[in-house]
């Protein structure tokens, strides 16, 4: 039987050395799965992240109607109405921009409704519009509003300006049509009076002098009436050079005929034969110009320039489609900031920082692992939102890879802001409060509802510090225009991501050292 050896038996095995980069990734993966498992164990949180924003987007898309305010309006007409303008015509003109609720001749009734808030605006149309116009005074339409919203008041003033212009044009068309009717009759008298001027050149007997003087006076009165009813000179001049000469010719004829009448009374008519010849020539010009004036349509005379509008895309998007990229950017940012804002402060309060300090991991691995864990779930929520937008008809005309890259960069930048809030907060409630403040800043300063150009330069640092400002602009370019985002969108999100990551690392390192 062989003797057992008293030498110890040593088991040999090869030592496995893991490369440094693999150890780095393993530690990052550990924190990544830690965050994933924490979120996975909270099904209500997952539902609120994905279903909540999805329902918000669906509710927005299905209920949004119009962003322009409807101003409830009452119109007070003069007792005798407006000659030449039917009440239905006024309703159409005013109803283009205002929500016309009442047309009345009782101003007290309208003012009572305004005082109680039943309507927002009263328009009081003036009496004797045409008589006031002919006297050289501009009639006034009095607008009285009872609104508290400054945006609505600005909208009312703009619509009032547009309506007054439309009413001015309508009145000018009416007065021009009347002037053309009267000018047609006066033109017949002009042609007849050319023969009388020819008789004056040949001489007037004593028996005919009084009748000739009366004919001159009557004809001059007709010309004065024509001068009064003609449209303003700028209206005539904007149509053609021929009509631009109508008033000068008419003025010259009136002056010459007054001189002829004076000469007839002074019995010096034979000395002004040259003036009579000029007057007859001017009467021929006046007759031809009046013929042109009478045969032009009033609309064309008053508004010779027509509007021709064309949108390269056929038409603008509906309000739902236009605002959807902003809603997407807002929901993505707010979800990321809210999750990030609670990430570090919760672990610091639970005492996990003491464990992290003695663990064989670096701070960068800890934070990067958290970034990756949250990116997965926010990415899933974003994907659900994108599918919902496609269902309601929001296009994505640009490059899908660029869209995915911009979305990822928006998530990273928003998480950076959230982690920074978490690093600076001393409690969960403080972190939530700061996250809500960031939401309010995003709504007001990102360009979602109010254009960035509307703010003073002093507010631009706040605008550019909000991730949504860059995400919104980039999403609109990609989704609605089919163009790549501007370099400013990429640069802005990149700077926010880098700066917030660096600040989070610096602040968290100090907190770990004090743990």
């Amino acid at each position: 039987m062989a003797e057992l050896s008293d030498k110890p038996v040593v088991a040999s095995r090869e030592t496995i050395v893991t490369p440094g980069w693999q150890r780095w990734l393993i530690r990052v993966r550990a924190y990544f799965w830690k965050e994933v498992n924490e979120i996975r164990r909270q099904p209500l949180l997952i539902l609120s992240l994905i279903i909540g924003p999805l329902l918000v987007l669906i509710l927005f898309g299905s209920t949004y109607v119009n962003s322009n305010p409807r101003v409830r309006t009452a119109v007070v007409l003069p007792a005798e109405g407006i000659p030449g303008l039917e009440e239905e015509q006024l309703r159409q003109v005013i109803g283009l921009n205002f929500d016309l609720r009442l047309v009345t001749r009782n101003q007290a009734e309208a003012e009572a409704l305004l005082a109680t808030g039943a309507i927002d605006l009263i328009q009081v149309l003036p009496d004797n519009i045409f008589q006031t116009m002919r006297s050289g005074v501009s009639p006034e339409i009095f607008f009285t509003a009872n609104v508290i919203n400054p945006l609505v008041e600005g909208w009312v003033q703009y619509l009032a300006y547009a309506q007054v212009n439309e009413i001015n044009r309508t009145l000018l068309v009416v007065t021009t049509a009347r002037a053309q009717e009267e000018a047609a009759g006066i033109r017949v008298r002009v042609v007849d009076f050319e023969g009388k001027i020819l008789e004056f050149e040949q001489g007037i007997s004593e028996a005919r002098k009084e009748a000739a003087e009366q004919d001159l006076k009557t004809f001059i009165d007709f010309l004065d009436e024509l001068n009064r009813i003609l449209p303003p000179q700028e209206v005539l001049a904007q149509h053609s050079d021929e009509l631009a000469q109508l008033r000068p010719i008419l003025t010259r004829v009136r002056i010459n005929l007054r001189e002829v009448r004076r000469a007839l009374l002074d019995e010096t008519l034979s000395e002004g034969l040259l003036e009579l010849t000029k007057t007859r020539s001017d009467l021929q010009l006046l007759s031809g110009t009046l013929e042109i004036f009478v045969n032009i349509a009033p609309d064309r005379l008053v508004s010779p320039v027509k509007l021709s509008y064309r949108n390269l895309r056929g038409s603008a998007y509906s309000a739902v489609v236009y605002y959807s990229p902003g809603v997407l950017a807002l929901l993505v940012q707010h979800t990321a900031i809210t999750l990030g804002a609670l990430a570090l402060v919760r672990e610091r309060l639970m005492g996990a920082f003491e464990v992290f300090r003695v663990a064989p991991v670096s701070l960068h691995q800890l934070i990067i692992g958290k970034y990756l864990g949250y990116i997965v779930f926010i990415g899933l929520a974003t994907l659900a939102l994108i599918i919902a937008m496609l269902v309601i008809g929001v296009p994505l005309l640009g490059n899908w890879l660029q869209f995915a890259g911009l979305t990822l960069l928006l998530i990273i930048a928003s998480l950076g802001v959230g982690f920074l809030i978490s690093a600076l907060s001393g409690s969960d409630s403080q972190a939530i409060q700061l996250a809500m403040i960031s939401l309010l800043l995003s709504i007001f300063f990102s360009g979602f509802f109010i254009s960035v150009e509307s703010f003073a330069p002093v507010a631009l640092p706040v605008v550019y510090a909000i991730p949504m400002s860059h995400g919104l602009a980039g999403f609109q370019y990609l989704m609605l225009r089919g163009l790549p985002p501007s370099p400013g969108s990429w640069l802005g999100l990149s700077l926010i991501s880098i700066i917030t990551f660096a600040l989070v690392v610096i602040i968290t390192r100090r907190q770990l050292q004090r743990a």
Side-chain angles (χ1 to χ4, degrees):
M1 187 172 179
E3 298 181 357
L4 295 174
S5 173
D6 56 356
K7 294 182 180 180
V9 178
V10 179
S12 64
R13 61 179 182 180
E14 296 181 359
T15 302
I16 300 176
V17 179
T18 303
W21 64 271
Q22 289 187 2
R23 293 198 301 273
W24 193 92
L25 289 178
I26 290 172
R27 292 164 183 167
V28 170
R29 186 181 63 184
Y31 283 104
F32 166 76
W33 283 113
K34 169 185 171 298
E35 299 298 330
V36 170
N37 289 327
E38 282 190 4
I39 298 177
R40 184 174 55 82
R41 287 193 293 267
Q42 304 178 65
L44 291 179
L45 177 61
I46 298 175
L47 290 176
S48 65
L49 283 176
I50 298 178
I51 304 300
L54 183 61
L55 292 177
V56 170
L57 184 60
I58 293 175
L59 182 64
F60 174 81
S62 61
T63 59
Y64 187 90
V65 178
N66 194 350
S67 61
N68 296 333
R70 295 296 297 173
V71 183
R72 299 166 300 170
T73 304
V75 174
V76 180
L77 296 176
E80 71 282 359
I82 300 178
L85 285 180
E86 300 293 335
E87 185 173 314
E88 185 59 32
Q89 189 177 4
L90 278 173
R91 285 179 178 272
Q92 291 177 357
V93 172
I94 298 174
L96 290 174
N97 298 318
F98 294 98
D99 184 7
L100 190 57
R101 299 293 182 89
L102 176 67
V103 177
T104 181
R105 287 174 170 79
N106 187 345
Q107 186 171 346
E109 176 189 4
E111 290 176 347
L113 293 174
L114 184 66
T116 60
I119 57 175
D120 304 307
L121 178 70
I122 294 177
Q123 300 183 27
V124 180
L125 301 185
D127 296 324
N128 303 319
I129 288 183
F130 292 107
Q131 291 83 346
T132 306
M133 291 170 56
R134 289 173 179 174
S135 65
V137 179
S138 298
E140 290 183 294
I141 300 177
F142 292 94
F143 291 81
T144 305
N146 183 13
V147 296
I148 59 175
N149 188 333
L151 297 179
V152 173
E153 183 172 42
W155 184 247
V156 168
Q157 292 175 348
Y158 168 75
L159 293 181
Y161 172 78
Q163 178 189 299
V164 168
N165 283 341
E166 183 62 26
I167 290 178
N168 281 337
R169 177 187 173 278
T170 303
L171 292 176
L172 197 54
V173 168
V174 172
T175 56
T176 300
R178 288 183 176 182
Q180 288 178 316
E181 292 177 4
E182 296 188 28
I186 294 176
R187 177 178 173 271
V188 175
R189 294 180 178 274
V190 169
V191 174
D192 291 341
F193 205 77
E194 290 181 31
K196 294 184 180 297
I197 292 295
L198 186 59
E199 293 179 7
F200 293 166
E201 292 178 358
Q202 296 173 353
I204 301 176
S205 63
E206 287 294 330
R208 283 280 300 144
K209 183 182 295 185
E210 183 176 349
E213 191 274 332
Q214 186 60 39
D215 290 341
L216 276 171
K217 181 180 182 304
T218 302
F219 187 66
I220 291 173
D221 290 341
F222 277 120
L223 294 183
D224 290 341
E225 176 66 14
L226 176 61
N227 183 66
R228 185 179 60 80
I229 65 175
L230 281 178
Q233 179 63 22
E234 55 269 19
V235 173
L236 298 172
Q238 70 183 357
H239 185 272
S240 64
D241 293 338
E242 290 84 356
L243 288 187
Q245 298 300 315
L246 179 55
R247 279 188 181 277
I249 295 173
L250 179 59
T251 301
R252 195 162 60 241
V253 169
R254 291 163 63 210
I255 293 174
N256 289 342
L257 288 179
R258 285 193 176 94
E259 290 295 324
V260 170
R261 184 171 177 237
R262 184 187 59 78
L264 185 62
L265 293 175
D266 295 342
E267 298 184 356
T268 58
L269 184 61
S270 58
E271 300 176 3
L273 292 178
L274 181 59
E275 295 297 327
L276 287 173
T277 304
K278 290 180 180 178
T279 301
R280 185 157 51 85
S281 176
D282 287 338
L283 284 174
Q284 293 173 352
L285 289 175
L286 180 61
S287 176
T289 310
L290 283 176
E291 184 178 7
I292 297 174
F293 171 71
V294 168
N295 292 325
I296 295 175
D299 283 344
R300 185 182 168 197
L301 185 62
V302 171
S303 302
V305 179
K306 293 184 178 180
L307 173 66
S308 178
Y309 174 80
R310 181 175 68 95
N311 192 324
L312 292 177
R313 303 179 182 279
S315 64
Y317 291 110
S318 67
V320 173
V321 173
Y322 176 76
Y323 283 112
S324 289
V327 173
L328 175 64
L330 178 63
L331 294 178
V332 169
Q333 175 189 275
H334 183 60
T335 303
I337 289 180
T338 302
L339 285 175
L342 297 173
L344 296 175
V345 65
R346 183 178 61 243
E347 294 180 338
R348 188 169 65 249
L349 295 175
M350 292 172 58
F353 270 28
E354 287 80 357
V355 178
F356 293 157
R357 183 178 180 186
V358 298
V361 292
S362 69
L363 180 60
H364 294 84
Q365 293 165 346
L366 184 154
I367 295 177
I368 291 175
K370 287 181 174 293
Y371 265 95
L372 294 176
Y374 287 122
I375 286 173
V376 170
F377 284 95
I378 299 171
L380 291 176
T382 304
L383 180 60
L385 289 173
I386 294 171
I387 294 173
M389 287 193 305
L390 295 177
V391 169
I392 65 175
V394 180
L396 205 168
L397 304 177
N399 186 283
W400 275 91
L401 291 178
Q402 290 182 345
F403 180 74
L406 187 68
T407 304
L408 177 61
L409 198 54
L410 175 62
I411 294 174
I412 294 173
S414 303
L415 279 173
V417 175
F419 285 138
L420 182 59
I421 290 175
S422 186
L424 294 173
S425 300
S427 63
D428 287 353
S429 59
Q430 185 179 357
I432 294 173
Q433 182 66 24
L434 291 176
M436 292 305 298
I437 291 176
S438 71
L439 174 63
L440 292 176
L441 287 173
S442 301
I443 292 175
F444 289 110
F445 290 95
S446 66
F448 186 32
F449 286 118
I450 303 174
S451 174
V452 173
E453 289 77 13
S454 301
F455 296 106
V458 68
L460 293 182
V462 177
V463 172
Y464 296 139
I466 300 173
M468 181 184 164
S469 301
H470 310 284
L472 169 62
F475 282 168
Q476 285 185 338
Y477 267 80
L478 274 168
M479 300 173 69
L480 304 183
R481 294 185 179 274
L483 300 175
S486 66
S489 297
W490 298 106
L491 180 61
L493 290 175
S494 300
L495 287 177
I496 293 173
S497 303
I498 294 170
I499 292 173
T500 53
F501 181 83
L503 290 175
V504 169
V505 169
I506 293 172
I507 296 172
T508 307
R509 177 178 289 116
R510 291 180 179 177
Q511 293 172 345
L512 282 173
Q513 290 173 352
R514 292 196 299 267

